[in-house]
Structures are given as C-alpha cells and as structure tokens.
Amino acid sequence: MSFDFLTPDAATQSERFNPVARSPMERSARAAGAQFELRDGWNVAVAYRSAEQDAEALRRTGGWADVSHLGKLELQAPPHELEALVARSAGGATLELGRATRASCAWWCPLTRSRALVICQPAVLGALREQITEATQSVAPAAGVVEVTTIFAAMTLAGPVAREVFARFSALDLRPQITPVGALRPGSIGRQPATLICEAPDRFLFLFGWAIGEYMWSIVQDAGEHLGARPIGVDALAPVHDPKPAASTHA
C-alpha cells in the first residue's frame, strides 16, 4: 500500500493545477491579520504587522506561530533496527527517551523504543525521506517510514511569558531544570494528546492532531493575549540549527 497521497511535497504543478497545502489554523491566522506567502508548496503565515514588529513582540512578551508546514515522518522498527536507522540517517545520532536530538537539519524524537518522529523544514523533507528510506534497506529491513505531515499540526510558542501561557492550559512542568533545551515531553496540552520539544530557552514546539488546529489556536490565543503575547509570523522565529561538532582536542 502506498501512502504517497499523504505527502504534500509529492504534488506536482501543471497548467491547470497549482496545488497549495494549507494549515488547519489558516483561517484563524488570517482573521488575526496574518500576511501569507507561498513557500515550498505551503501557504505560510510569515508576518502580522511586520517581521520586525513580530520579533520585537517576541522579545518583550511572547508570541505563537503556526508551523504546521513542518515536514513530519514517523519511523517504526524493532528497537535495535530503529537505533541503527537513526544512526545511519542522522550522522551517528543516538536516541534517548525524553530527549529530542537535533541532527541532519531535523529533530529526531523517540516516542517509544520502537517508534520515532522526525520533524524538519519542508525544503529538506523530500531528501531526508529518501535518505531514510535508502537506509532501511541496509540496516532496518523491518522498518516502516510513514509521512505524517498532515496528521500533526504544530505551533511554536516562545518568549518570556511562554511558560506562563502554557501553565494556563497544560500541567506539563516546563521549568528549565525539568524541561531543558532538547527535552521531549509527550503529554496533555489543552486536554488533548500532544508532543512538545523545548527548542531553545523560552521556545517550545508542540504537535497535536490536525483536526483540532482551530481549537488549539483558540486556547493559546485566549491564554496568550491575557499575558501580552500575540500571534507572530514564522519570519520572526530564529532558525534552529544543528549543534556544532565538538572541537578536536588533538594538537
């Protein structure tokens, strides 16, 4: 059985067909004044007032951005094969439950010992999917690679008030000593199953069901606006980079 129909980047343009992928939160973002651009086949909310004003709001209080366009792949394999598959596909990266590993321009997130989620920018999704699929042939013949980009919607909530905003609709403990950078926290957000990654200090990426996108926007908006946060475009978010390799200690 093929799952190509779940792959937004597999859609091809023609003279009569110009496919555009859309977030389930687009209507809410548009009502809030979002400015959209077509990027990598997605209609993306890039700014509200301006990228500079969005960045200033993010620095002073906080903001939330719709990042549902991020590419998402689910890997399923016996534990030893999953570890080998990730190591081959992500430059030797290892999996640790409770932590998301940043490598090969993606987050590698072990949900169980036999299941992991890979999250990346849509521009690299196709190449990364091909790289993972090729790796299965040599190190993980029992592995499954499933496109889940349009199964999980996603938001980034960041800024000085981000933790307090979360505290209004989630019991996840996001204190830095409990949820440091790189922490992976499956749990309840807005009374819905979700998965959260601490991407940077005061910055959290969280994924949830596509069908509840508008609901999740509404609870974040209600909590955020009371604390001075507001919606921001993706251009206000600093890129997340892979960690630099450790400097050699050899002379």
Side-chain angles (χ1 to χ4, degrees), residues 4 7 73-75 85-86 88-90 108 118 125-147:
D4 287 348
T7 309
L73 300 171
E74 183 174 305
L75 313 182
L85 176 59
V86 172
R88 176 67 66 89
S89 305
W108 302 77
V118 185
L125 175 62
L128 187 58
R129 182 175 55 239
E130 182 177 345
Q131 182 177 323
I132 293 171
T133 301
E134 290 179 356
T136 64
Q137 300 172 9
S138 56
V139 300
V145 182
V146 181
E147 172 78 44

Side-chain angles (χ1 to χ4, degrees), residues 172 185-189 192-196 206-209 216:
L172 290 176
R185 297 290 182 264
S188 176
I189 297 179
Q192 300 294 324
T195 301
L196 177 143
F206 59 110
L207 283 68
F208 42 88
M216 195 65 75

Side-chain angles (χ1 to χ4, degrees), residues 37-60:
E37 287 185 10
L38 187 62
R39 295 184 179 178
D40 300 304
W42 285 86
N43 204 37
V44 180
V46 297
Y48 284 76
R49 298 174 185 174
S50 69
E52 293 75 17
Q53 289 175 307
D54 285 355
E56 178 65 11
L58 190 59
R59 185 183 69 82
R60 288 182 175 274

